[in-house]
Amino acid sequence: MSASTTDQYQTVKVPWYRRTQAEASLAFILFVAPMIIGLTIFTFIPIVWGALISFSEARNTVSIGDWVGFDNYSAVLGNPEFRQSLRTILVFAVFIVPITFFLSLVLAMLVNSAGFGSAFFRSVFFIPTAISYVIASIVWKMGIFSGSAYGFANMVWYWLDENAPVVAWIGETDPPYYWLVLVTVRLWLQVGFYMILFIAALQEIDQTLYEAAQVDGARLGWHTFWTITFPLLRNTSIAVLMLNFIAAFQAFDEFINILGGVGSVGNISLARPPLVYLYQIAIQQQDYGRGSAGALILTAIIVAVTLIQGRLFGFGSKS
Amino acid sequence: MSQPTTPGGGQWGELKHPRANNSQALAILGKIVRYVLLIGLAILFLFPFYIIVRNSLMTQPEITAFDAWQWWPESPQWGNYRNVFEDDAISMATGLRVSALLAIVNLVMQTIFASMAGYALARIPFRGRDIIFFLILLTLMIPGAVTFVPTYVVVSELGGINTLWGIVVPGLFNAFATFLFRQFYLDFPTEIEEAGRLDGNSYFGVYWKLLLPNSLGIMAALGILSFISSWNAFLWPVIVGQSESTRTVQVVLSSYLTAQTIDLTRLFAGAAIGAIPLIIVFLVLQRYIVQGVRMSGIKG
């Protein structure tokens, strides 16, 4: 399509140096250069280097060449901590993805139907998106779910029953409810984001569909939700599920800040997600060979799940 | 509103559905339930903000008081905010400077690079264009955070560890934003562009004088999103910028949280200081942020 537009220019008076194919090529190269150079240095080369280093013995060095075949891969796959981290993140995703989906859809429908005050409520649910995981971890760990005898959750416990023992939400060696802490902090931070996606989709639904349904005797509510609203939210629902799943699989910030510490081990062995495992072997123990092998295994898992999900839901065929 | 006089009854000739009055009452009840739910949830969502403010203005014994919860400090300790800046070992002032630099450079450069590439991919004829577009799309498949190990390896080979450029530069090349800009420029009316070309403008001239001014909306939307996410970023800054002069606000706050002895007043005052710039940005520019989020929704 743009080829035809350039042809048109040739018929008009334009200086020769503006007319040539060379000008277009030069312009294209200059415009694309920063992006291509940047992606090459910080994405393509790292992936290739990472792939090569994953077949090398590379402790405390980032150089390639001390080939060890698949040793790094079998070491990572055979490592109980790594396999445990995959189980951990799977359990985490099983909780966080459906809850986020449900809650963000409910919020979107509530806000969308609110009328008066709808913009205010939308802002309130959306504003946690601006807060970092580190700050949210501070509030959850030291303000609400403290492991010691303070914090709001323990306060509520105390109000309900003065003699109830203090709950070590995340404090001691084996805190009973640490999952609650990890799931709620992510919920608070991300639900507003997905709510915005659902609100956008809800507003695109043709309102005459509901009127037509009412004429046919349907009552607005449960029935019209399942027959009209939900089917029309299909594409957005798939997008929300995939974005959310990929984000959950890459969880790092809240786990390391709530359970562990950058310099300390803390309680991280309770629930160590894969990225924390990679951080520990690659950055802290400086075993770049195994670290890269683990990174590529994880990338392969995420890409595979994305592709399977896309195939299952026939993504791209927008009906 | 009013109860129906005869249950389930409308009067003959009013052409009312028999259930009309009933469902009107139901609708009002539904409305009340909805607002009660909304207000309850709103309080829940605002509660963590309240905790930050409350604790940042308290003394340590007030925060850790167990059986005497105070909703508000008796005398607000505004000095807590000053104390955050008085710790020389872990400097919050440096953290704010590094984070501001990171976020502003991201806002400007990420947007410019992506829009330039997006424009070329949409509008400038070039033989290898489709291959280059495919290569850029390919990087979208790869989950960004997972590749931090190989990227760390390359950046450390280039001498980027504990440098500002090492924190900032690797994040400036956003393939997804490039894709969005390409879509945007594909929809841009060709007539305007052609008119610009006929006026004797180069491709750069057309981009600078016509396309850029007309894409300020999408630029603002994507730019602010990259501002927020780079201000809040933790994984990359914490592995690349551990030295005193390269810690971002998030890294400083995380080191407060994981210190041997935690100073709760400094922790919460620091959290407030780290959150306030973004809350302001958010409240002022929410319209663009919503637009940006909607655009990023098509990534799925």
Side-chain angles (χ1 to χ4, degrees):
Chain A
M1 18 169 191
S2 17
S4 64
T5 55
T6 36
D7 289 343
Q8 286 170 20
Y9 300 139
Q10 319 260 329
T11 60
V12 200
K13 268 199 175 177
V14 176
W16 64 270
Y17 56 87
R18 289 271 164 80
R19 251 185 266 154
T20 51
Q21 187 68 42
E23 192 219 347
S25 299
L26 185 69
F28 182 88
I29 291 166
L30 289 177
F31 269 96
V32 167
M35 180 61 62
I36 290 299
I37 293 170
L39 286 178
T40 304
I41 297 176
F42 298 112
T43 304
F44 291 122
I45 291 178
I47 289 169
V48 173
W49 197 324
L52 293 174
I53 211 170
S54 72
F55 293 108
S56 309
E57 169 76 39
R59 285 171 205 249
N60 304 313
T61 173
V62 293
S63 52
I64 304 158
D66 189 358
W67 306 112
V68 292
F70 283 92
D71 281 9
N72 287 323
Y73 286 90
S74 54
V76 169
L77 288 171
N79 186 305
E81 281 183 1
F82 182 71
R83 283 185 300 193
Q84 182 58 38
S85 79
L86 291 179
R87 276 194 290 274
T88 298
I89 209 65
L90 213 62
V91 173
F92 183 61
V94 163
F95 277 99
I96 196 79
V97 173
I99 298 176
T100 304
F101 181 89
F102 175 75
L103 198 59
S104 53
L105 180 56
V106 168
L107 286 181
M109 295 191 60
L110 280 172
V111 167
N112 200 42
S113 65
F116 178 75
S118 139
F120 167 79
F121 287 116
R122 192 190 64 177
S123 299
V124 167
F125 301 138
F126 188 37
I127 201 168
T129 318
I131 301 302
S132 75
Y133 274 93
V134 177
I135 291 175
S137 299
I138 289 173
V139 178
W140 255 248
K141 186 179 186 176
M142 305 314 286
I144 300 176
F145 296 106
S146 159
S148 314
Y150 65 93
F152 188 75
N154 275 327
M155 194 57 236
V156 174
W157 226 241
Y158 180 79
W159 281 336
L160 295 176
D161 178 5
E162 284 194 17
N163 301 316
V166 171
V167 178
W169 296 96
I170 38 175
E172 288 165 10
T173 43
D174 197 15
Y177 305 115
Y178 67 93
W179 278 109
L180 186 71
V181 183
L182 292 167
V183 168
T184 49
V185 70
R186 185 168 276 253
L187 268 183
W188 182 66
L189 285 169
Q190 73 176 10
V191 150
F193 176 92
Y194 298 109
M195 174 197 74
I196 293 290
L197 296 184
F198 275 127
I199 290 178
L202 284 172
Q203 284 171 351
E204 270 170 29
I205 296 177
D206 186 357
Q207 291 304 309
T208 55
L209 288 173
Y210 295 105
E211 286 158 25
Q214 271 180 306
V215 170
D216 290 345
R219 225 195 278 167
L220 285 181
W222 200 239
H223 183 67
T224 49
F225 173 79
W226 283 112
T227 52
I228 300 174
T229 316
F230 198 64
L232 287 172
L233 291 178
R234 184 174 173 276
N235 282 336
T236 306
S237 301
I238 295 166
V240 165
L241 288 175
M242 297 221 328
L243 286 172
N244 196 357
F245 174 82
I246 292 169
F249 235 74
Q250 300 184 61
F252 177 84
D253 298 7
E254 78 268 45
F255 281 81
I256 201 153
N257 279 299
I258 289 178
L259 291 180
V262 172
S264 61
V265 182
N267 255 346
I268 196 70
S269 57
L270 281 175
R272 185 195 334 257
L275 253 57
V276 172
Y277 175 77
L278 293 181
Y279 169 79
Q280 286 178 335
I281 58 166
I283 311 297
Q284 290 183 331
Q285 298 167 25
Q286 306 209 325
D287 188 340
Y288 301 111
R290 285 192 191 182
S292 297
L296 288 170
I297 293 169
L298 206 61
T299 305
I301 293 174
I302 295 178
V303 170
V305 172
T306 314
L307 288 176
I308 292 167
Q309 226 170 353
R311 189 57 63 84
L312 272 182
F313 293 112
F315 192 69
S317 58
K318 282 187 181 168
S319 47
Chain B
M1 282 176 222
S2 55
Q3 283 288 343
T5 40
T6 42
Q11 262 157 11
W12 181 248
E14 265 189 58
L15 280 177
K16 260 190 181 171
H17 194 279
R19 282 204 310 254
N21 279 331
N22 230 335
S23 62
Q24 214 166 43
L26 261 179
I28 290 164
L29 189 71
K31 203 159 203 163
I32 292 169
V33 170
R34 269 205 296 273
Y35 273 103
V36 168
L37 261 174
L38 277 169
I39 291 166
L41 284 164
I43 291 170
L44 212 60
F45 272 70
L46 291 175
F47 188 74
F49 292 106
Y50 155 75
I51 290 283
I52 297 180
V53 177
R54 169 191 179 268
N55 288 9
S56 75
L57 294 174
M58 280 183 157
T59 61
Q60 180 111 359
E62 277 179 312
I63 298 173
T64 54
F66 178 49
D67 44 10
W69 177 268
Q70 272 176 270
W71 288 102
W72 196 247
E74 265 172 31
S75 58
Q77 306 288 314
W78 295 102
N80 288 347
Y81 284 83
R82 204 175 45 242
N83 291 344
V84 172
F85 291 99
E86 276 166 7
D87 182 356
D88 293 329
I90 310 170
S91 170
M92 178 57 95
T94 309
L96 286 170
R97 265 200 302 276
V98 174
S99 284
L101 177 88
L102 172 67
I104 289 167
V105 172
N106 259 283
L107 166 78
V108 177
M109 300 313 282
Q110 220 190 73
T111 325
I112 296 242
F113 290 158
S115 82
M116 280 171 60
Y119 167 62
L121 291 166
R123 282 302 167 82
I124 305 179
F126 184 74
R127 268 179 61 200
R129 189 167 70 176
D130 291 346
I131 299 167
I132 288 183
F133 183 52
F134 175 76
L135 279 176
I136 291 175
L137 281 188
L138 203 62
T139 64
L140 285 180
M141 289 290 290
I142 299 150
V146 171
T147 55
F148 77 92
V149 178
T151 309
Y152 177 85
V153 166
V154 168
V155 169
S156 81
E157 265 305 84
L158 296 171
I161 304 305
N162 289 328
T163 64
L164 285 176
W165 78 257
I167 298 176
V168 178
V169 177
L172 298 180
F173 311 98
N174 189 329
F176 183 59
T178 307
F179 170 76
L180 290 177
F181 271 111
R182 178 181 169 273
Q183 295 299 104
F184 180 81
Y185 290 131
L186 279 178
D187 292 339
F188 194 79
T190 34
E191 294 79 19
I192 299 176
E193 205 189 337
E194 279 170 23
R197 292 283 294 165
L198 290 177
D199 285 345
N201 285 302
S202 63
Y203 282 104
F204 181 78
V206 170
Y207 170 74
W208 188 252
K209 289 184 205 156
L210 293 171
L211 282 113
L212 211 57
N214 279 300
S215 50
L216 290 179
I218 178 177
M219 291 194 115
L222 295 176
I224 295 158
L225 280 196
S226 71
F227 181 94
I228 293 176
S229 66
S230 53
W231 179 279
N232 286 339
F234 179 66
L235 174 57
W236 185 253
V238 83
I239 61 176
V240 177
Q242 274 290 1
S243 77
E244 271 172 46
S245 57
T246 54
R247 289 194 187 121
T248 64
V249 169
Q250 312 302 333
V251 177
V252 169
L253 288 174
S254 171
S255 66
Y256 288 170
L257 183 60
T258 54
Q260 283 290 328
T261 46
I262 299 173
D263 180 345
L264 286 173
T265 62
R266 196 181 59 180
L267 183 70
F268 281 97
I273 291 167
I276 286 166
L278 280 215
I279 292 173
I280 293 170
V281 165
F282 187 92
L283 291 178
V284 175
L285 301 169
Q286 192 181 171
R287 190 164 64 89
Y288 294 105
I289 300 172
V290 168
Q291 200 194 338
V293 168
R294 286 180 180 195
M295 282 189 281
S296 52
I298 55 173
K299 188 173 182 177

